[in-house]
Amino acid sequence: MLDKNVVIAHRGASAYAPEHSYASYDLSHFDMRADYIELDIQMTLDGEIIVMHDETIERTGLTQGIIKEMKLEEIKEIRIGQWFNDKFPELAQKYYLEQTVPTLKEVFKRYGKANYYIETKSPDIYPGMEERLTMILEEFDLLSEERLSNYQTVIQSFSLESLIKMNQLKSNMPLLLLCQKGMLRAMTDEDLKQISAFVYAVGPNYKDLDQWLIERLHRLGFLVFPYTVNDEADMERLINEGIDGAFTNHPDLLRKQFRLDNGEVFEDE
């Protein structure tokens, strides 16, 4: 069960390769042995779910376009590696230039029964996202009782409404609430207890955490996975203060701080 020393590869090993690309996922999953591949999802004009952080293709695609106004065919023409090579010339690789935007189905075909953290991005602008996501997860047999009880398929969001929809669609789906800085401190214990009825973990901004808050969240029944922890000194501090895992662009460094020789990786069925 993935509930301690958890290494969540944020957009893959995105410190070393273009985020949300096969290059990044391959590195985090096969080479660095992260426990999870973390995916941000958006929806195209023709209802396909793709994996990309932004609502536009401008930053990583280096061209203009709003995802909800584009068909999948248009998005597939975009390459998402040039920006990384330009920004990090010391890490540049020629094959990054051929990286394309993956669909969620393509990710599942490539990595099979890997462990996934899937974030519903901007679900308010994508009506039906949760239903479509659930259908795809079922299509790839990623909602089995075994996987859900072992937290192998997890849905996360900054939108509590989106998590409520996912809970209504699949009542035993492991859910994580992402939290902006200050949000958890502002919530009462009673507020948090109501959320804990269907949310098993919280993802606070790592700068918001200290031992007092971590212990409070544990007492209320949550696991604590902060984002996005990339500095080894921050990793060490948070581990000493009691986090259960973290989102990181550096899965290799976090595994080292957790003193792991091998991640807890579930084999393909």
Side-chain angles (χ1 to χ4, degrees), residues 237-255:
R237 173 182 68 83
L238 291 164
I239 289 169
N240 289 337
E241 290 175 349
I243 61 168
D244 304 290
F247 296 84
T248 181
N249 300 343
H250 298 265
D252 54 338
L253 299 185
L254 184 56
R255 283 176 49 76

Side-chain angles (χ1 to χ4, degrees), residues 49-63:
I49 292 186
I50 64 166
V51 185
M52 183 174 275
H53 178 269
D54 302 353
E55 296 170 24
T56 74
I57 60 173
E58 182 175 353
R59 180 174 62 89
T60 57
L62 299 179
T63 188

Side-chain angles (χ1 to χ4, degrees), residues 7-10 12-16 27-29 32-36 230 235 248-256:
V7 178
I8 306 167
H10 184 245
S14 55
Y16 307 100
L27 191 58
S28 69
H29 183 64
M32 297 182 179
R33 306 288 282 176
D35 293 302
Y36 287 94
N230 293 320
M235 293 175 184
T248 181
N249 300 343
H250 298 265
D252 54 338
L253 299 185
L254 184 56
R255 283 176 49 76
K256 185 174 77 171

